[in-house]
Amino acid sequence: MRSSLTGAGRSFTCLQCLLRTPARRPIYTPKPAFSHSARRLSTAQEAPDHQPTPRPVPTIAPKPLLDIKHIRQNPERYSQNCIDRNYKSLAENPQKINNLFAELQAQHREGRALRERGNALRRQIVAGPGSTSQNDPADTTADEFKDKTREEILEEAKKVKAELQVITEQETRLQAEIDRLALAIPNLTWDETPRGTEPEVMSYINNHPEPEPAVSDRVWRSHVHVGAELGILDFAGAAQTSGWGWYYLLEEAAQLEQALISYALTTATRAGWRQVSPPSMVYSHIASACGFQPRDANGETQIYNIAQSAEDTARGKPELVLAGTAEIPLAGMKADTTIDESDLPMKRVAVSRCYRAEAGSRGVETKGLYRVHEFTKVEMFAWTHPDLFMTQEIFEEMVDLQTELLSGLNLHCRILEMPTADLGASATRKIDMEAFFPSRRERNDGWGEVTSASICTDYQTRRLATRAKLGNGRLVYPWTVNGTALAVPRVLAAILENGWNEQEKSVTIPEVLRPWMDGREKIGPRHRLN
């Protein structure tokens, strides 16, 4: 029998218990004969010991409903989770929440006493001065004010009202601070996620093209040099036009971009994923609710903000940002709405331009298309039943699709169960796929991330007020899953490097892309930059 968080006719099991489920199914095929050893990932930097000032939330923003009770009951678990996930500056949030909750309870008690006194005073005003309480022996207010004038009683009532107003403001302030601290806490981690910075290598896709590096790796096998030799990449023109981190795709490279998009969309739609064309700009509160903050854990800017006029700012118009991934507008599509159980799982696939303000430090490891500010990506996103096994089925379907796409492109890849230090705020579990790049031999043995897939449980839907209505009428928070179908620039770079024939000065086009490349088998040195 499946363990579930919520569902029609099912018993309740809390999220932390679900994430401790020992059952784990293999993701893909066994390892091939060749096995490339895993290399230690660079240790992630600790998060700065501060929290960014939260932006004012507009009134139109969905009202999040977090399980703060679970945080209060399990402060050590949430605190350790923050430490494991490299959010050390947030590790004290659970205890702060408990301290604030104790203050809030004290304010509630004081407010309750004041409200009771205010009610008694109102009764005394109605009864008139000098009267005594006949119906409630516990009501001593009447005896206290039996010798007072009506004006004195009214003055006392005003005093109680003023004190109650202060209490109410304190309660509002404390609750807002509790909510702010809870919103900042990352999602709980799947118990089988590796702790620390080391990923677990699960399996490989295709055999290694050349276990030993070729003599000319450092020059001709870089996609930057390949693109320049074939005249299909222009970084100099983009630097002049837009700056570092942008690029022009020319001729066959531009055509290859569209071929990769069509290939990914065709594969996903045949598997039952329905297409969406999402907006590129979203409200900043939608991006934050999805787990994308203005700055990352290392304090670097992540998101491009759209400038507002002074008039819009004064009116409190919500701030717009450029979406870093289609995951954000797809998740926001169902904000403040209720999904019928019959529509779950709801699977969507979208093509979008993605914008990342932080493109890494300039250097050889980020030169070219590997880390850029703007790129095209095909993204899968799904809402599922709040059930671990049902959600894992969709998650594994995503991973299988990613595997199929990369396998068809003849890229040698490894599939990784990512460690806690590499999880974003929203993910409870994350699987990455890294392709082999000949030009990155001296960095992580040539491996570079090309796809990612995450289970986010109800982290996003609680913050976006997305609900699902079960057959019995019960409202629950569905879970969300997201995964890259194909990120164009990195995959294109991997194809150029792995398909390069130095003798012919040509790149072999993967067979699966040829229908969208006019049937051509190779990109030859026919075009050069002017």
Side-chain angles (χ1 to χ4, degrees):
M1 181 180 292
R2 290 175 170 171
S3 298
S4 63
L5 176 64
T6 49
R10 302 187 180 107
S11 59
F12 176 82
T13 306
C14 77
L15 177 58
Q16 66 167 345
C17 295
L18 281 177
L19 297 180
R20 290 176 177 171
T21 303
R24 181 176 182 178
R25 300 190 295 185
I27 290 294
Y28 198 61
T29 57
K31 299 179 182 179
F34 174 81
S35 178
H36 195 74
S37 61
R39 181 174 176 176
R40 179 183 178 86
L41 296 182
S42 58
T43 303
Q45 292 178 304
E46 288 186 11
D49 192 22
H50 69 274
Q51 298 179 35
T53 302
R55 298 173 178 173
V57 179
T59 56
I60 67 168
K63 300 299 185 291
L65 182 59
L66 308 184
D67 192 353
I68 295 176
K69 181 179 179 181
H70 196 268
I71 298 174
R72 290 193 293 102
Q73 292 175 337
N74 301 274
E76 295 83 5
R77 176 171 169 79
Y78 279 90
S79 180
Q80 186 60 48
N81 186 60
C82 289
I83 294 171
D84 291 342
R85 296 174 70 133
N86 207 34
Y87 288 83
K88 292 185 179 180
S89 62
L90 305 179
E92 295 182 3
N93 280 24
Q95 187 56 52
K96 288 179 180 178
I97 288 173
N98 272 341
N99 294 340
L100 289 169
F101 184 75
E103 290 185 44
L104 182 62
Q105 291 296 92
Q107 293 294 321
H108 285 336
R109 289 191 294 270
E110 188 173 346
R112 188 160 51 246
L114 283 172
R115 290 183 183 91
E116 290 173 356
R117 183 173 177 80
N119 291 335
L121 284 168
R122 281 192 290 273
R123 290 195 297 270
Q124 186 67 28
I125 292 170
V126 172
S131 61
T132 57
S133 175
Q134 302 296 326
N135 299 325
D136 186 0
D139 185 0
T140 60
T141 307
D143 294 334
E144 180 183 348
F145 288 97
K146 65 180 179 179
D147 296 327
K148 301 291 185 181
T149 65
R150 178 179 177 83
E151 288 71 22
E152 289 174 324
I153 296 173
L154 286 171
E155 187 62 30
E156 178 64 18
K158 289 178 183 178
K159 181 182 176 182
V160 169
K161 183 178 180 181
E163 292 177 355
L164 190 57
Q165 178 64 30
V166 172
I167 293 293
T168 301
E169 291 173 357
Q170 281 286 85
E171 289 175 339
T172 301
R173 181 189 63 80
L174 289 169
Q175 187 61 59
E177 181 64 7
I178 289 172
D179 292 342
R180 185 189 71 81
L181 293 171
L183 282 168
I185 295 175
N187 201 354
L188 285 174
T189 306
W190 194 49
D191 270 13
E192 293 189 43
T193 291
R195 265 53 183 176
T197 61
E198 288 282 355
E200 176 189 336
V201 179
M202 303 179 70
S203 67
Y204 291 80
I205 303 171
N206 297 327
N207 290 321
H208 202 293
E210 46 179 46
E212 298 299 326
V215 176
S216 60
D217 262 9
R218 292 178 62 83
V219 180
W220 293 113
R221 296 309 292 276
S222 165
H223 68 276
V224 177
H225 293 90
V226 171
E229 178 69 14
L230 298 177
I232 60 176
L233 300 179
D234 182 4
F235 295 102
Q240 190 72 20
T241 304
S242 307
W244 178 81
W246 273 270
Y247 54 93
Y248 284 105
L249 301 180
L250 309 175
E251 304 286 356
E252 287 92 341
Q255 190 176 5
L256 192 59
E257 177 181 46
Q258 299 305 314
L260 287 166
I261 293 169
S262 298
Y263 169 55
L265 279 179
T266 299
T267 303
T269 52
R270 283 176 179 170
W273 295 77
R274 297 170 59 185
Q275 288 191 41
V276 176
S277 181
S280 293
M281 289 195 293
V282 298
Y283 288 135
S284 62
H285 62 262
I286 296 293
S288 295
C290 292
F292 293 82
Q293 302 300 323
R295 295 183 180 275
D296 64 13
N298 300 315
E300 296 184 7
T301 301
Q302 288 184 302
I303 296 175
Y304 284 110
N305 299 316
I306 306 300
Q308 284 185 313
S309 66
E311 292 79 6
D312 286 344
T313 302
R315 291 200 303 266
K317 185 176 180 180
E319 182 183 34
L320 285 167
V321 299
L322 290 172
T325 168
E327 172 192 343
I328 300 172
L330 287 174
M333 187 167 58
K334 294 299 179 182
D336 257 337
T337 62
T338 300
I339 303 171
D340 192 89
E341 183 181 24
S342 61
D343 293 326
L344 296 177
M346 184 179 288
K347 304 187 298 182
R348 299 291 184 263
V349 60
V351 180
S352 72
R353 294 294 278 181
C354 304
Y355 301 88
R356 305 287 174 88
E358 187 280 302
S361 302
R362 292 189 63 172
V364 175
E365 70 275 6
T366 59
K367 188 177 181 181
L369 295 174
Y370 188 79
R371 198 177 295 277
V372 293
H373 289 299
E374 179 182 5
F375 57 96
T376 301
K377 182 157 70 91
V378 183
E379 180 80 2
M380 296 177 287
F381 187 89
W383 295 266
T384 71
H385 284 83
D387 178 283
L388 182 61
F389 286 94
M390 290 183 180
T391 301
Q392 284 190 147
E393 286 177 0
I394 301 301
F395 182 68
E396 290 172 5
E397 181 182 333
M398 280 185 175
V399 175
D400 288 343
L401 274 169
Q402 292 171 331
T403 303
E404 179 184 347
L405 289 166
L406 295 174
S407 178
L409 295 171
N410 300 321
L411 296 177
H412 174 52
C413 304
R414 64 178 185 176
I415 303 175
L416 304 175
E417 184 78 55
M418 298 308 292
T420 52
D422 198 75
L423 298 182
S426 62
T428 189
R429 182 189 180 191
K430 181 168 174 272
I431 285 180
D432 280 2
M433 294 188 188
E434 296 181 338
F436 172 73
F437 291 79
S439 67
R440 294 172 61 84
R441 280 276 193 179
E442 296 181 2
R443 181 177 175 81
N444 202 23
D445 288 344
W447 298 111
E449 178 194 339
V450 288
T451 72
S452 180
S454 301
I455 297 176
C456 298
T457 59
D458 60 2
Y459 180 95
Q460 294 173 332
T461 54
R462 280 184 173 274
R463 286 161 172 76
L464 291 169
T466 302
R467 295 175 174 83
K469 187 175 183 179
L470 303 181
N472 60 4
R474 183 184 178 191
L475 290 176
V476 298
Y477 291 97
W479 288 8
T480 58
V481 186
N482 66 80
T484 309
L486 198 145
V488 170
R490 290 190 182 181
V491 172
L492 193 152
I495 289 173
L496 293 181
E497 293 191 12
N498 286 281
W500 174 246
N501 185 312
E502 191 167 337
Q503 285 69 41
E504 294 182 357
K505 299 295 188 289
S506 68
V507 169
T508 300
I509 299 171
E511 186 175 352
V512 293
L513 300 181
R514 294 173 190 172
W516 295 284
M517 296 291 292
D518 300 325
R520 287 198 299 273
E521 296 182 4
K522 295 183 179 181
I523 301 173
R526 293 179 293 105
H527 302 288
R528 293 182 180 273
L529 295 173
N530 295 323

